[in-house]
Amino acid sequence: MGTRQKHGRMAAAYAFVLPAAVFMLVMIGYPVLYNIVISFRDVTAFTIADADTEFVGLENYKELFADPSFINAFRQTFIFTLRSLVLQFGIGFMLAIFLCKGFPCLKTVRSLIVISWILPITVTALMWKFMLSENGIINYLLMSIGITDSPVYWLIERDTALWGINIANAWVGIPFNVLLITTGLNNIPSEIYDATAIDGANAFQRFFFVTVPMLKSTLLSVLVLGFVYTFKVFDLIFVMTGGGPVDATEVLSTYSYKQSFSFYDFSGGAAAANVLAVILVTVALIYMRTVQKED
């Protein structure tokens, strides 16, 4: 292949990539950079139209970390994320092992499990909002089997509101965990299990000394992706509770939204969004470094 032909193929390749690159720069790159810029300036409903807003440096970030509401949202974001990870990863892992055993109607069961993942989040949020209401099916079932004598006000009381969101979010995330872990389990050679069985290993030993080590990279990917998806959840919480009652379900994403579009403090909202982004980027970098070390 001649040099001219190689250059022609490279030019064609760049031509195909260029539209996507331009789209990414315009629709993602510019908003991210603009968000960073206004977090260092005084941009409110009164100053947003000004050609040159006042540069305030780190003042927005200082005010942010001095705000008790932000500290509360910061803490609750981690609580919400860790609870959701435990629920969706634990249940997803058990379901994946169960589905790998094989039984009649396996494909039908897999299809039903995936439904909760492919539903629009707004639909899921509204559905769980009704199910967790005073007269919803969740309270009906709890009272029917004698767990409670009176309805639980899941999304109205401070002590239970975040748990209600956790349950709904876990329901959405479980299929994702099941799909990835099932794929990892199916890629483990059956000969390894046969060899360990011959050596006298019981089911407990095969699980902890064969299955878990062989799934290490898969489980790490599931946990990191689950953390990223859950940490930035906005629509589910906004539709179900709007961050209430009394900030009981306020997280960084809803806090940032309210600062920008309820209080019109665009700089404060941008600063909160940047804090969220830094945390997610840090987790992603740690994950990439861990994977590189393993490779």
Side-chain angles (χ1 to χ4, degrees):
M1 184 183 295
T3 304
R4 182 176 297 177
Q5 196 171 4
K6 285 183 179 179
H7 286 309
R9 288 198 171 188
M10 288 294 293
Y14 283 124
F16 281 114
V17 172
L18 185 61
V22 171
F23 177 83
M24 293 286 286
L25 287 173
V26 174
M27 303 302 295
I28 298 176
Y30 174 74
V32 169
L33 289 175
Y34 181 74
N35 201 66
I36 294 172
V37 169
I38 66 173
S39 70
F40 295 104
R41 293 183 173 275
D42 180 23
V43 182
T44 64
F46 299 103
T47 62
I48 192 170
D50 295 347
D52 187 20
T53 52
E54 181 186 358
F55 179 80
V56 295
L58 297 174
E59 192 62 33
N60 290 317
Y61 291 94
K62 292 178 181 178
E63 293 180 2
L64 195 67
F65 283 97
D67 183 3
S69 296
F70 171 79
I71 300 301
N72 176 64
F74 188 87
R75 178 181 61 84
Q76 289 189 156
T77 303
F78 278 97
I79 293 173
F80 169 74
T81 302
L82 293 177
R83 281 182 187 172
S84 295
L85 282 180
V86 170
L87 289 172
Q88 63 193 32
F89 179 77
I91 298 173
F93 203 162
M94 290 187 290
L95 281 175
I97 293 173
F98 173 70
L99 293 175
C100 284
K101 298 297 182 182
F103 54 88
C105 303
L106 176 60
K107 291 183 179 179
T108 303
V109 173
R110 283 181 176 173
S111 300
L112 291 174
I113 289 175
V114 174
I115 288 175
S116 64
W117 190 40
I118 63 177
L119 277 177
I121 294 296
T122 304
V123 174
T124 300
L126 289 172
M127 181 182 69
W128 276 97
K129 186 174 182 178
F130 292 131
M131 289 172 64
L132 292 169
S133 64
E134 179 183 355
N135 298 315
I137 190 171
I138 302 299
N139 278 324
Y140 174 78
L141 292 173
L142 291 176
M143 290 188 291
S144 296
I145 59 180
I147 294 180
T148 61
D149 297 325
S150 58
V152 178
Y153 298 95
W154 289 97
L155 303 178
I156 300 176
E157 295 183 352
R158 287 182 57 87
D159 295 336
T160 57
L162 195 60
W163 275 110
I165 305 292
N166 277 131
I167 294 170
N169 188 71
W171 188 77
V172 175
I174 285 171
F176 177 76
N177 286 257
V178 171
L179 290 174
L180 291 186
I181 297 173
T182 301
T183 303
L185 287 169
N186 289 331
N187 288 333
I188 299 177
S190 59
E191 292 80 4
I192 297 178
Y193 290 109
D194 296 336
T196 54
I198 293 172
D199 290 337
N202 56 36
F204 179 85
Q205 291 170 325
R206 288 197 297 271
F207 177 77
F208 283 100
F209 296 106
V210 177
T211 303
V212 173
M214 294 290 288
L215 283 177
K216 184 179 179 181
S217 59
T218 300
L219 298 181
L220 183 61
S221 299
V222 169
L223 287 171
V224 171
L225 291 173
F227 181 91
V228 171
Y229 292 151
T230 306
F231 199 84
K232 64 181 181 64
V233 165
F234 168 76
D235 37 13
L236 186 72
I237 298 174
F238 188 76
V239 173
M240 290 184 70
T241 63
V246 197
D247 296 341
T249 59
E250 191 82 282
V251 292
L252 287 178
S253 57
T254 57
Y255 176 89
S256 174
Y257 175 87
K258 288 180 179 179
Q259 290 298 309
S260 295
F261 303 109
S262 295
F263 306 129
Y264 301 106
D265 180 10
F266 299 108
S267 295
N274 289 336
V275 171
L276 189 153
V278 167
I279 294 171
L280 294 180
V281 170
T282 302
V283 171
L285 291 174
I286 293 172
Y287 168 70
M288 291 172 62
R289 187 173 182 82
T290 303
V291 171
Q292 288 175 353
K293 284 185 178 180
E294 288 184 356
D295 292 341

